[in-house]
Each structure stands twice: as structure tokens, then as C-alpha cells.
Amino acid sequence: MAKKKDSHTFYSPRIHDDDRRRGTFDVFGTPRGDINYSYIYPGTTVAWHRHKRQTDFWHVIKGSLKVGLYDQKAKKLTWVYLHEALSKTLIIPPLIWHGYRNLSDGETILSYYISEKYDEKNPDEEKVPIGSFGEFWETEVK
């Protein structure tokens, strides 16, 4: 966890790499929740998952995301777009299925806070495959 050195300490965040993105998680080691960021590779779709307890707060620092939000109770799919020029943070409550697609030519940097500390042994996460809600992730030409 934190290592003492002189008059200050160091904290080592979790690092995760896969073929969709590279990410640094729990950046500040806050006692509740995680402050994270991910570099999302161009053209990548990451979907679908939801949480029972956790609320997500997403803010794009660089690039652009197409975000899918599916409310299973209302049987409603909503698309929102997050990009670096939009000074807004998307709040995703528990039980809402969510995912995203990077619309940028380069990496998109997503900064996000999750209200519950991530537990690798017992993650608050349920997943279903892309296409589970009849959605179309590609950018439509109109």
C-alpha cells in the first residue's frame, strides 16, 4: 500500500492492460471508492456491465466517447456523447447497464470516480455481451 519515505509517502495505483485499453486505477488510494483513468484505444467498444451498489462518475479529458445506457426496468436505451470540449461529468447510478465506444482517431482518456472501492475477489459487476440490447455501436452515416 503506502510506503513511508522521509516526510512523505508513496501510493502505488493498480495498473491494468488488455487489448482494449490501458488503465491506472485507484490513483489516490482514497478510503472509499476509486479515482481512475483509462486510455481507450481507437474504435474500441467496451460494453455491457452494471453494478448493484456502485455509482460511476465519468469525465472525458481527451477524445470522444459514445456512451450507451440501458435501463432494464424501463426497457430504455439512451445514447450520450462525452468529449473533451464538454465540461460535464456523466453520473451512472447502480443497476444501469453501461458501456462506451471510442469515436476518436486516437486514444480517448476517460477519468472516472467509482463510489465503491474495487474488490478483485468479489467485484460489484455483472456483464452481458455486446449486442444484448439490440444496440448499434458503430457511427451511423446520415
Side-chain angles (χ1 to χ4, degrees):
M1 198 80 176
K3 292 181 183 177
K4 184 83 169 151
K5 182 179 179 179
D6 300 323
S7 62
H8 58 279
T9 59
F10 289 100
Y11 177 78
S12 298
R14 290 188 319 275
I15 307 295
H16 175 77
D17 288 305
D18 61 31
D19 58 356
R20 304 168 302 162
R21 64 181 180 206
R22 61 189 157 93
T24 303
F25 305 99
D26 198 11
V27 174
F28 299 107
T30 52
R32 181 184 165 116
D34 284 356
I35 298 170
N36 307 319
Y37 58 90
S38 288
Y39 294 80
I40 303 151
Y41 301 130
T44 301
T45 302
V46 177
W48 290 96
H49 73 279
R50 69 178 178 178
H51 313 283
K52 290 181 182 174
R53 298 176 307 278
Q54 175 180 301
T55 299
D56 289 11
F57 299 78
W58 291 6
H59 187 87
V60 168
I61 296 172
K62 177 185 174 197
S64 178
L65 293 179
K66 177 180 184 176
V67 179
L69 303 164
Y70 185 74
D71 183 336
Q72 194 165 13
K73 207 175 211 181
K75 294 184 174 29
K76 181 178 180 188
L77 174 64
T78 303
W79 297 107
V80 296
Y81 297 86
L82 299 177
H83 54 84
E84 60 193 73
L86 182 66
S87 187
K88 292 187 178 181
T89 298
L90 174 64
I91 301 171
I92 306 168
L95 300 177
I96 298 297
W97 293 97
H98 52 284
Y100 56 78
R101 179 171 178 78
N102 181 356
L103 298 178
S104 302
D105 292 333
E107 290 179 339
T108 288
I109 301 172
L110 175 64
S111 175
Y112 54 103
Y113 170 74
I114 56 176
S115 64
E116 304 293 322
K117 191 64 95 176
Y118 181 74
D119 180 354
E120 287 184 49
K121 293 179 182 162
N122 187 25
D124 176 23
E125 187 172 72
E126 181 181 356
K127 294 181 180 182
V128 295
I130 293 172
S132 292
F133 307 117
E135 78 281 0
F136 183 73
W137 283 99
E138 301 297 322
T139 303
E140 296 182 59
V141 178
K142 296 182 181 184

